[in-house]
Amino acid sequence: MAAWEELHRMICSVRFARAEIIFQEGEPAFGLYIICTGKVKLAKRSPEGKIQIMKLLGPGEILGEKSSFDHEVYSAYAKTLEDTKLHFIERADFIDFLTQHPEVALKLLDKLSRELKAFQGKLIETAYQNSTLRLARMLLLMAKTYGEPAPLGIYVGLELSRAELAEMASISTETAIRTLSQFKDQGLIELEGHKIYIHDREKLASLTEPLRVTLRENLL
């Protein structure tokens, strides 16, 4: 509790509307953000303009912690998916806080280690798994993390455009649209605009075998 009270004195609260940029890739990393409410996507843009969503983040998660350690710039850009409130902590204050509270530093190190393992798994999956498997897995992970029961099924918790969903699954927008239609025809999901509901979770999960849907950090 004392550590949190000390950290709380360092923070500055900021708010962003839906679809606002929090920071751009390449900007100096002056500090990090803790998400209080809302959801944020962390993404990179290739020289050709192709976007790859690296991660989705929600309340309690941290943005920009890696860049805060290396004194450099943000390695990706962060954009809100809905109205979002964040706590900002300047880099120097955060480093000093970790020095004074090594138990927090160890927890952060564990988090970064799990994310690295998940990222390695993502690379393998992208190389060897087809689009159907990747999209099914992504929907299940979204439902596991943000899902809410609804009359049409389990709402996956995020209203993403088909392009954003494709970026997350590392497939083309056309493939995402076609695969979602196939899932709907098979009775696996229901579609309502940008909202996606999982109607038959077990059958959808069977498409991902032998992939594991376990770690929260797998949502990269």
Side-chain angles (χ1 to χ4, degrees):
M1 182 63 69
W4 167 245
E5 291 176 352
E6 182 180 341
L7 185 64
H8 190 73
R9 290 194 292 269
M10 302 176 182
I11 65 176
C12 172
S13 295
V14 291
R15 293 180 181 272
F16 292 86
R18 186 182 187 278
E20 277 197 273
I21 296 293
I22 300 171
F23 54 76
Q24 290 281 13
E25 181 177 356
E27 285 185 352
F30 294 116
L32 56 87
Y33 297 84
I34 301 173
I35 302 174
C36 302
T37 60
K39 298 181 182 72
V40 176
K41 72 175 181 180
L42 198 64
K44 290 180 70 70
R45 184 179 286 105
S46 72
E48 296 77 24
K50 184 178 180 180
I51 296 172
Q52 172 67 58
I53 295 180
M54 309 300 293
K55 192 175 184 182
L56 297 182
L57 302 103
E61 295 189 280
I62 303 174
L63 279 170
E65 73 277 21
K66 300 178 187 67
S67 300
S68 294
F69 284 117
D70 59 20
H71 300 265
E72 294 189 6
V73 299
Y74 293 116
S75 58
Y77 73 87
K79 185 177 182 179
T80 58
L81 295 171
E82 55 190 43
D83 292 350
T84 300
K85 177 183 176 182
L86 307 103
H87 289 329
F88 175 75
I89 306 174
E90 290 189 4
R91 180 194 171 278
D93 289 338
F94 185 64
I95 296 300
D96 183 62
F97 174 78
L98 292 181
T99 301
Q100 298 299 320
H101 299 278
E103 71 281 3
V104 178
L106 287 174
K107 289 181 179 179
L108 182 59
L109 182 61
D110 177 66
K111 172 183 179 293
L112 295 176
S113 175
R114 286 184 283 118
E115 288 185 348
L116 178 59
K117 291 178 182 177
F119 182 68
Q120 291 170 336
K122 172 73 172 179
L123 291 177
I124 294 173
E125 175 192 324
T126 301
Y128 295 105
Q129 301 298 334
N130 64 38
S131 58
T132 299
L133 290 174
R134 294 206 295 269
L135 188 55
R137 177 178 177 271
M138 189 57 59
L139 293 176
L140 289 166
L141 285 167
M142 290 168 62
K144 180 180 176 66
T145 306
Y146 303 116
E148 304 169 2
L152 291 177
I154 302 173
Y155 172 48
V156 299
L158 287 169
E159 287 191 51
L160 298 176
S161 69
R162 299 298 183 256
E164 288 175 320
L165 198 62
E167 290 161 5
M168 287 184 60
S170 300
I171 59 179
S172 69
T173 302
E174 293 76 13
T175 299
I177 293 172
R178 183 175 64 253
T179 305
L180 287 175
S181 295
Q182 292 172 351
F183 287 170
K184 185 178 186 301
D185 292 342
Q186 294 167 14
L188 304 179
I189 65 171
E190 292 291 340
L191 302 174
E192 187 179 62
H194 285 168
K195 290 186 176 181
I196 301 174
Y197 302 85
I198 296 179
H199 182 67
D200 194 327
R201 189 167 188 165
E202 288 188 6
K203 285 187 178 180
L204 188 63
S206 70
L207 299 179
T208 70
E209 295 176 354
L211 295 177
R212 296 172 58 200
V213 183
T214 52
L215 291 179
R216 170 67 182 86
E217 288 77 14
N218 275 352
L219 195 60
L220 291 174

